[in-house]
Amino acid sequence: VSGIPVFLSVTYRGDTFAQALGETGEAGTVAGPLNLPGFVPGEEVGVEVLAYGAANHIVGESGLSFKTWW
């Protein structure tokens, strides 16, 4: 689905960094650069992606968490 606004939030060490990724293209995907702090190995990172439809209702949501290892 094209034209869907997508937002990303990353939680790290108690801080949340939110960023609009733009709207999905014809293939239903969106990509863009992220401006995030350097991560320390062994720390928990949470990622949440939200897609919005008409009247700013959430039409899609996904998230995950992981520990950095590098």
Side-chain angles (χ1 to χ4, degrees):
V1 177
S2 62
I4 302 293
V6 178
F7 295 83
L8 171 78
S9 65
V10 175
T11 303
Y12 175 68
R13 290 187 161 182
D15 292 323
T16 299
F17 305 90
Q19 181 173 334
L21 295 180
E23 292 187 356
T24 56
E26 289 183 22
T29 61
V30 64
L34 299 176
N35 186 16
L36 298 173
F39 297 127
V40 176
E43 293 289 330
E44 186 84 17
V45 178
V47 179
E48 183 178 36
V49 179
L50 298 172
Y52 287 86
N56 289 326
H57 286 100
I58 296 173
V59 295
E61 179 177 6
S62 184
L64 61 90
S65 64
F66 61 92
K67 278 197 172 187
T68 57
W69 57 270
W70 56 89

